[in-house]
Amino acid sequence: MEKFSDTHFRQQFPILKSRVNGHALVYFDNAATTQKPACVIERYQEYYQQSNANVHRASHALSASATADYESARKRVKSLINANAEEEIIWTKGSTESINLVAQSWGRTTLQPGDEIVLSYSEHHANIVPWQIVAKQTGATIKVLPLGKTGQIAIADLEGYIGERTRIVCVGHISNVIGRVNPIKEVIRVAKKHQALTLIDGAQAIAHLKVDVKDLDCDFYVFSAHKMYGPTGIGVLYGKRALLDKMPPYQAGGEMIKTVSFEQTTFNQLPHKFEAGTPNIAGVIAFGSALEFLEQQDHLGLVAYENALTSYCFSELSSIPTLKFLVDEAPDIPLFSFTLPGHHNHDIAAALDSVGIAVRAGHHCTMPLMQYLNVAGCIRLSLSAYNSVQEIDFVIEQLKKLTQTVITGSKLASLSLDNKAASFSSPEIARLTVDDIYSMFAKAKSWDSKHREIMLLGKKQLPMAVENKTPLSLIAGCESHAWLVSDINAAGVYRFQADSEAKVIRGLLAIILAAVDNKTAAEIHAFDMNNYFSDLGLLQHLSPSRGNGVRAIVHKIQQLITE
Ligand code: PLP
């Protein structure tokens, strides 16, 4: 499968024509960030080439042109979400900054001991941690709304959580793991009944739903441009004007003031009061192009297409016998979270990556949700209107292969290791030398086959004895749990044992240990790990999180030998 169906919409996204690890890119990580259409990429460059100037300040033509484009993007956002006025649209860096702004500006000056902030179990960390911080600063407390079987906020007992002490209810419109539209109108209704404010985190909803803040009647609505085909580093805080007017500035500096003297400073009007300093002008202007691009699309057509992708992908995933969805029933947007028992989430993601498929695995910045659902993490496929049925077929084919096949085929497959735990006296780990690793990788030319070798190494590593898996031996910075312990003999020679829940990390550990095991501290220090990885062609291919994992392992080894 090399070419995926080229709809007109898809053709606008140049990156989708690229190849990753020797395969046509299948980008199923749209909930993390969407790809950008050519008009957005070009607008960004055009701004710097033709109208770069600061906004609102200088009295020259370039500044006037930049200001006009910058403010016209604000108008587009106003009409996108049906706000009352442009003053209600505040530019921020993204959903995260928008929530922090409300927490610090409104929350810190309003909340009192005994006041309650209501969140839900499915919130992204961005809609939890800012509230925890402000709760600590003010003495307020946090209450958490439970979820129903389908993963949506349960409305049966809202009044049990939202009451007289509630000052604000902050919930996601759609969770980035569950993919179902929350009953936010009902949540807002109950909050209003108790005179509590509402903040809706629309980071996942904005690319898929028509959002009307007047109809919702929420007090704040936040989202990020990069999840709706716009650039990174730009986001929106919508707030009702009366509220924003009363809130103090969040950050201080240029742009947000009216007058400054050492005796007294007065603040600018909305929206500038909340936009201190030179903003991300290019980002805002390019976001304006993304919005214009969306305005030009047949919205209903895109929604119908996304719905068709959702039903198709859900039914295809359901045909994988061992696959377990995190919640019951199909999602409302093409976002699917599941586990494949018997396979580590990161192993699946790494295997898909080796054939050009981008998905996300882990806790998805929703650790409390993972605990609530009693899973360590999950695999998430998130699609956009530029994805195709053929891409879904390709992913399903790969998932079926992965859940059915047992990796075989390198010299290591012939090693028969008993199923016991490694100990420092067991020589298996040390059997591999750097030369063995080089020769394995010399034969593995493509990233697919390198990935297979890593997985095979992972599979053949002896597990570490349970008693050695302690908080002390845990490798900090590895996304999957990984442990490393060392032993040193009288001659100053180190032996290492390592383990991880993920085969891919176990494989990487085997590669690293081949370079350091049975050596003295001086020999380990002298070994150039960066060169080794680059010679093996690994670092340039490893995903950022796994690249960090490798660095974390090397760091832990260095710590152990200098202790
Ligand atoms: N809220 C939700 C539901 C999200 O999915 C995300 C990002 O994934 C955020 C908030 C944070 O968005 P950003 O990183 O763009 O600020």
Side-chain angles (χ1 to χ4, degrees), residues 397-417:
E397 183 190 319
Q398 296 304 313
L399 285 174
K400 285 188 172 160
K401 250 194 228 165
L402 287 167
T403 49
Q404 283 157 11
T405 48
V406 175
I407 304 170
T408 53
S410 141
K411 71 169 195 174
L412 285 170
S414 60
L415 281 179
S416 69
L417 305 176

PDB file of all heavy atoms in Angstrom, residues 397-417:
ATOM      1  N   GLU A 397      -4.420  -4.124   9.218  1.00  0.00           N
ATOM      2  CA  GLU A 397      -3.618  -5.267   8.747  1.00  0.00           C
ATOM      3  C   GLU A 397      -2.361  -5.409   9.615  1.00  0.00           C
ATOM      4  O   GLU A 397      -1.993  -6.498  10.042  1.00  0.00           O
ATOM      5  CB  GLU A 397      -3.249  -4.960   7.294  1.00  0.00           C
ATOM      6  CG  GLU A 397      -2.468  -6.016   6.554  1.00  0.00           C
ATOM      7  CD  GLU A 397      -1.976  -5.425   5.213  1.00  0.00           C
ATOM      8  OE1 GLU A 397      -2.744  -4.693   4.535  1.00  0.00           O
ATOM      9  OE2 GLU A 397      -0.809  -5.676   4.878  1.00  0.00           O
ATOM     10  N   GLN A 398      -1.712  -4.260   9.901  1.00  0.00           N
ATOM     11  CA  GLN A 398      -0.490  -4.303  10.721  1.00  0.00           C
ATOM     12  C   GLN A 398      -0.809  -4.747  12.145  1.00  0.00           C
ATOM     13  O   GLN A 398      -0.077  -5.531  12.737  1.00  0.00           O
ATOM     14  CB  GLN A 398       0.195  -2.922  10.750  1.00  0.00           C
ATOM     15  CG  GLN A 398       0.693  -2.442   9.413  1.00  0.00           C
ATOM     16  CD  GLN A 398       1.652  -3.429   8.775  1.00  0.00           C
ATOM     17  OE1 GLN A 398       2.568  -3.926   9.413  1.00  0.00           O
ATOM     18  NE2 GLN A 398       1.426  -3.738   7.507  1.00  0.00           N
ATOM     19  N   LEU A 399      -1.914  -4.237  12.699  1.00  0.00           N
ATOM     20  CA  LEU A 399      -2.266  -4.610  14.080  1.00  0.00           C
ATOM     21  C   LEU A 399      -2.569  -6.105  14.146  1.00  0.00           C
ATOM     22  O   LEU A 399      -2.185  -6.785  15.102  1.00  0.00           O
ATOM     23  CB  LEU A 399      -3.478  -3.803  14.566  1.00  0.00           C
ATOM     24  CG  LEU A 399      -3.214  -2.341  14.917  1.00  0.00           C
ATOM     25  CD1 LEU A 399      -4.511  -1.615  15.239  1.00  0.00           C
ATOM     26  CD2 LEU A 399      -2.263  -2.229  16.117  1.00  0.00           C
ATOM     27  N   LYS A 400      -3.254  -6.606  13.122  1.00  0.00           N
ATOM     28  CA  LYS A 400      -3.576  -8.046  13.122  1.00  0.00           C
ATOM     29  C   LYS A 400      -2.294  -8.858  13.043  1.00  0.00           C
ATOM     30  O   LYS A 400      -2.113  -9.837  13.769  1.00  0.00           O
ATOM     31  CB  LYS A 400      -4.513  -8.387  11.966  1.00  0.00           C
ATOM     32  CG  LYS A 400      -5.943  -7.920  12.255  1.00  0.00           C
ATOM     33  CD  LYS A 400      -6.942  -8.409  11.230  1.00  0.00           C
ATOM     34  CE  LYS A 400      -8.346  -8.055  11.704  1.00  0.00           C
ATOM     35  NZ  LYS A 400      -9.347  -8.042  10.640  1.00  0.00           N
ATOM     36  N   LYS A 401      -1.374  -8.414  12.187  1.00  0.00           N
ATOM     37  CA  LYS A 401      -0.096  -9.118  12.062  1.00  0.00           C
ATOM     38  C   LYS A 401       0.633  -9.125  13.405  1.00  0.00           C
ATOM     39  O   LYS A 401       1.139 -10.145  13.852  1.00  0.00           O
ATOM     40  CB  LYS A 401       0.782  -8.366  11.051  1.00  0.00           C
ATOM     41  CG  LYS A 401       0.996  -9.107   9.749  1.00  0.00           C
ATOM     42  CD  LYS A 401       2.137  -8.445   9.002  1.00  0.00           C
ATOM     43  CE  LYS A 401       1.754  -8.213   7.563  1.00  0.00           C
ATOM     44  NZ  LYS A 401       2.649  -7.281   6.888  1.00  0.00           N
ATOM     45  N   LEU A 402       0.656  -7.938  14.031  1.00  0.00           N
ATOM     46  CA  LEU A 402       1.404  -7.817  15.286  1.00  0.00           C
ATOM     47  C   LEU A 402       0.823  -8.683  16.381  1.00  0.00           C
ATOM     48  O   LEU A 402       1.551  -9.223  17.217  1.00  0.00           O
ATOM     49  CB  LEU A 402       1.413  -6.357  15.760  1.00  0.00           C
ATOM     50  CG  LEU A 402       2.305  -5.421  14.973  1.00  0.00           C
ATOM     51  CD1 LEU A 402       2.002  -3.979  15.312  1.00  0.00           C
ATOM     52  CD2 LEU A 402       3.765  -5.740  15.291  1.00  0.00           C
ATOM     53  N   THR A 403      -0.494  -8.805  16.392  1.00  0.00           N
ATOM     54  CA  THR A 403      -1.088  -9.588  17.475  1.00  0.00           C
ATOM     55  C   THR A 403      -1.034 -11.078  17.176  1.00  0.00           C
ATOM     56  O   THR A 403      -1.232 -11.891  18.052  1.00  0.00           O
ATOM     57  CB  THR A 403      -2.548  -9.161  17.742  1.00  0.00           C
ATOM     58  OG1 THR A 403      -3.231  -9.115  16.499  1.00  0.00           O
ATOM     59  CG2 THR A 403      -2.631  -7.816  18.406  1.00  0.00           C
ATOM     60  N   GLN A 404      -0.749 -11.409  15.910  1.00  0.00           N
ATOM     61  CA  GLN A 404      -0.709 -12.840  15.576  1.00  0.00           C
ATOM     62  C   GLN A 404       0.700 -13.405  15.495  1.00  0.00           C
ATOM     63  O   GLN A 404       0.925 -14.564  15.748  1.00  0.00           O
ATOM     64  CB  GLN A 404      -1.397 -13.080  14.220  1.00  0.00           C
ATOM     65  CG  GLN A 404      -2.906 -13.050  14.348  1.00  0.00           C
ATOM     66  CD  GLN A 404      -3.592 -12.735  13.037  1.00  0.00           C
ATOM     67  OE1 GLN A 404      -2.959 -12.731  12.001  1.00  0.00           O
ATOM     68  NE2 GLN A 404      -4.870 -12.463  13.106  1.00  0.00           N
ATOM     69  N   THR A 405       1.682 -12.564  15.090  1.00  0.00           N
ATOM     70  CA  THR A 405       2.993 -13.141  14.789  1.00  0.00           C
ATOM     71  C   THR A 405       3.929 -13.175  15.980  1.00  0.00           C
ATOM     72  O   THR A 405       3.844 -12.368  16.898  1.00  0.00           O
ATOM     73  CB  THR A 405       3.717 -12.355  13.682  1.00  0.00           C
ATOM     74  OG1 THR A 405       3.639 -10.989  14.029  1.00  0.00           O
ATOM     75  CG2 THR A 405       3.142 -12.613  12.332  1.00  0.00           C
ATOM     76  N   VAL A 406       4.808 -14.135  15.915  1.00  0.00           N
ATOM     77  CA  VAL A 406       5.865 -14.235  16.902  1.00  0.00           C
ATOM     78  C   VAL A 406       7.124 -13.880  16.140  1.00  0.00           C
ATOM     79  O   VAL A 406       7.345 -14.377  15.039  1.00  0.00           O
ATOM     80  CB  VAL A 406       5.973 -15.677  17.420  1.00  0.00           C
ATOM     81  CG1 VAL A 406       7.142 -15.842  18.363  1.00  0.00           C
ATOM     82  CG2 VAL A 406       4.665 -16.079  18.066  1.00  0.00           C
ATOM     83  N   ILE A 407       7.917 -12.968  16.689  1.00  0.00           N
ATOM     84  CA  ILE A 407       9.100 -12.565  15.934  1.00  0.00           C
ATOM     85  C   ILE A 407      10.133 -13.693  15.930  1.00  0.00           C
ATOM     86  O   ILE A 407      10.452 -14.269  16.958  1.00  0.00           O
ATOM     87  CB  ILE A 407       9.722 -11.305  16.544  1.00  0.00           C
ATOM     88  CG1 ILE A 407       8.670 -10.205  16.614  1.00  0.00           C
ATOM     89  CG2 ILE A 407      10.928 -10.842  15.765  1.00  0.00           C
ATOM     90  CD1 ILE A 407       9.110  -9.015  17.413  1.00  0.00           C
ATOM     91  N   THR A 408      10.633 -13.988  14.759  1.00  0.00           N
ATOM     92  CA  THR A 408      11.692 -15.002  14.646  1.00  0.00           C
ATOM     93  C   THR A 408      12.744 -14.467  13.697  1.00  0.00           C
ATOM     94  O   THR A 408      12.525 -13.472  13.034  1.00  0.00           O
ATOM     95  CB  THR A 408      11.150 -16.303  14.030  1.00  0.00           C
ATOM     96  OG1 THR A 408      10.510 -15.971  12.817  1.00  0.00           O
ATOM     97  CG2 THR A 408      10.227 -17.028  14.955  1.00  0.00           C
ATOM     98  N   GLY A 409      13.859 -15.142  13.624  1.00  0.00           N
ATOM     99  CA  GLY A 409      14.729 -14.856  12.507  1.00  0.00           C
ATOM    100  C   GLY A 409      16.038 -14.164  12.712  1.00  0.00           C
ATOM    101  O   GLY A 409      16.553 -13.656  11.869  1.00  0.00           O
ATOM    102  N   SER A 410      16.708 -14.035  13.724  1.00  0.00           N
ATOM    103  CA  SER A 410      18.077 -13.544  13.723  1.00  0.00           C
ATOM    104  C   SER A 410      18.836 -14.615  14.477  1.00  0.00           C
ATOM    105  O   SER A 410      18.238 -15.574  14.948  1.00  0.00           O
ATOM    106  CB  SER A 410      18.141 -12.203  14.421  1.00  0.00           C
ATOM    107  OG  SER A 410      19.265 -12.090  15.195  1.00  0.00           O
ATOM    108  N   LYS A 411      20.114 -14.443  14.574  1.00  0.00           N
ATOM    109  CA  LYS A 411      20.888 -15.475  15.277  1.00  0.00           C
ATOM    110  C   LYS A 411      20.394 -15.629  16.719  1.00  0.00           C
ATOM    111  O   LYS A 411      20.495 -16.677  17.305  1.00  0.00           O
ATOM    112  CB  LYS A 411      22.366 -15.122  15.253  1.00  0.00           C
ATOM    113  CG  LYS A 411      22.731 -13.949  16.120  1.00  0.00           C
ATOM    114  CD  LYS A 411      24.234 -13.866  16.239  1.00  0.00           C
ATOM    115  CE  LYS A 411      24.589 -12.931  17.383  1.00  0.00           C
ATOM    116  NZ  LYS A 411      25.977 -12.882  17.671  1.00  0.00           N
ATOM    117  N   LEU A 412      19.803 -14.565  17.260  1.00  0.00           N
ATOM    118  CA  LEU A 412      19.365 -14.635  18.642  1.00  0.00           C
ATOM    119  C   LEU A 412      18.186 -15.576  18.837  1.00  0.00           C
ATOM    120  O   LEU A 412      17.969 -16.092  19.912  1.00  0.00           O
ATOM    121  CB  LEU A 412      18.974 -13.240  19.126  1.00  0.00           C
ATOM    122  CG  LEU A 412      20.163 -12.352  19.405  1.00  0.00           C
ATOM    123  CD1 LEU A 412      19.713 -10.946  19.645  1.00  0.00           C
ATOM    124  CD2 LEU A 412      20.951 -12.868  20.571  1.00  0.00           C
ATOM    125  N   ALA A 413      17.441 -15.802  17.753  1.00  0.00           N
ATOM    126  CA  ALA A 413      16.283 -16.670  17.875  1.00  0.00           C
ATOM    127  C   ALA A 413      16.714 -18.076  18.266  1.00  0.00           C
ATOM    128  O   ALA A 413      15.963 -18.827  18.863  1.00  0.00           O
ATOM    129  CB  ALA A 413      15.528 -16.700  16.564  1.00  0.00           C
ATOM    130  N   SER A 414      17.964 -18.426  17.923  1.00  0.00           N
ATOM    131  CA  SER A 414      18.401 -19.774  18.226  1.00  0.00           C
ATOM    132  C   SER A 414      18.895 -19.913  19.671  1.00  0.00           C
ATOM    133  O   SER A 414      19.115 -20.997  20.151  1.00  0.00           O
ATOM    134  CB  SER A 414      19.503 -20.173  17.250  1.00  0.00           C
ATOM    135  OG  SER A 414      20.560 -19.261  17.419  1.00  0.00           O
ATOM    136  N   LEU A 415      19.063 -18.809  20.329  1.00  0.00           N
ATOM    137  CA  LEU A 415      19.480 -18.904  21.737  1.00  0.00           C
ATOM    138  C   LEU A 415      18.310 -19.403  22.565  1.00  0.00           C
ATOM    139  O   LEU A 415      17.248 -18.789  22.547  1.00  0.00           O
ATOM    140  CB  LEU A 415      19.843 -17.512  22.278  1.00  0.00           C
ATOM    141  CG  LEU A 415      21.192 -16.925  21.942  1.00  0.00           C
ATOM    142  CD1 LEU A 415      21.302 -15.552  22.575  1.00  0.00           C
ATOM    143  CD2 LEU A 415      22.291 -17.828  22.451  1.00  0.00           C
ATOM    144  N   SER A 416      18.481 -20.514  23.245  1.00  0.00           N
ATOM    145  CA  SER A 416      17.334 -20.906  24.061  1.00  0.00           C
ATOM    146  C   SER A 416      17.612 -20.548  25.516  1.00  0.00           C
ATOM    147  O   SER A 416      18.404 -21.178  26.181  1.00  0.00           O
ATOM    148  CB  SER A 416      17.065 -22.397  23.894  1.00  0.00           C
ATOM    149  OG  SER A 416      18.101 -23.107  24.480  1.00  0.00           O
ATOM    150  N   LEU A 417      16.984 -19.500  25.940  1.00  0.00           N
ATOM    151  CA  LEU A 417      17.189 -19.053  27.317  1.00  0.00           C
ATOM    152  C   LEU A 417      16.054 -19.586  28.168  1.00  0.00           C
ATOM    153  O   LEU A 417      14.906 -19.503  27.764  1.00  0.00           O
ATOM    154  CB  LEU A 417      17.185 -17.524  27.375  1.00  0.00           C
ATOM    155  CG  LEU A 417      18.179 -16.841  26.446  1.00  0.00           C
ATOM    156  CD1 LEU A 417      18.008 -15.335  26.536  1.00  0.00           C
ATOM    157  CD2 LEU A 417      19.592 -17.220  26.796  1.00  0.00           C
TER     158      LEU A 417
END
